[in-house]
Amino acid sequence: MKALIIDDERLARTELKRLLTPFKDLQVVGEAVNAEDALEKINELKPDLIFLDINLSSNYTGFELLDYLRTYPHLNNTYFVALTAYASKTDAQRFYSAGFNKVMIKPFRKNDLIELIEERIRENK
């Protein structure tokens, strides 16, 4: 399974990539720092799993980028995970309504990430 991390914070990308390293069935194929970079990488790398920060420091929010990406037919089976530090568990419905498959609130627990990845790997086999 191929994953792409979209986050404007270098430390956040680095930490998430480090946490994903132990999963032998998951490969982080790229990182993007803004919406424009993300569009290029998505078209080039065709990830199965996208971690998308909500508060990108670009012309688009994570919500706007996801709304645009959901129009791409080749991304219909792509799993989108919202990454945010500015939401509570009660805000989750807003993310799901926007088209995200999962929400992870920063700082997220390692066990939550492990559960998510193991579930995705099982479903992709």
Side-chain angles (χ1 to χ4, degrees):
M1 182 169 43
K2 299 186 297 185
L4 176 67
I5 301 169
I6 305 168
D7 197 315
D8 57 337
E9 295 180 28
R10 182 184 54 80
L11 290 175
R13 291 191 315 273
T14 301
E15 178 62 10
L16 181 54
K17 189 173 182 179
R18 184 188 69 76
L19 291 170
L20 295 172
T21 301
F23 296 98
K24 63 179 179 173
D25 293 327
L26 177 76
Q27 177 187 9
V28 177
V29 292
E31 301 174 27
V33 299
N34 57 41
E36 295 79 11
D37 188 25
L39 290 172
E40 191 175 301
K41 299 267 173 69
I42 289 167
N43 287 323
E44 174 189 340
L45 303 170
K46 309 214 180 342
D48 307 295
L49 173 62
I50 296 176
F51 293 92
L52 176 53
D53 182 39
I54 296 302
N55 293 312
L56 296 173
S57 59
S58 65
N59 294 334
Y60 301 95
T61 66
F63 285 107
E64 293 166 332
L65 178 57
L66 177 67
D67 190 48
Y68 180 74
L69 292 172
R70 285 294 189 196
T71 66
Y72 282 44
H74 71 279
L75 296 177
N76 285 345
N77 295 321
T78 303
Y79 196 88
F80 288 90
V81 179
L83 301 176
T84 182
Y86 305 104
S88 67
K89 291 183 180 183
T90 57
D91 293 329
Q93 187 55 43
R94 178 174 62 126
F95 292 91
Y96 296 122
S97 295
F100 284 99
N101 301 98
K102 181 79 173 172
V103 179
M104 297 195 72
I105 300 170
K106 298 178 191 177
F108 45 84
R109 296 184 352 209
K110 184 177 179 179
N111 288 344
D112 291 339
L113 182 63
I114 290 169
E115 184 180 307
L116 166 72
I117 299 304
E118 287 177 349
E119 177 185 311
R120 296 305 312 143
I121 289 170
R122 276 191 310 273
E123 290 180 11
N124 280 320
K125 284 190 173 188

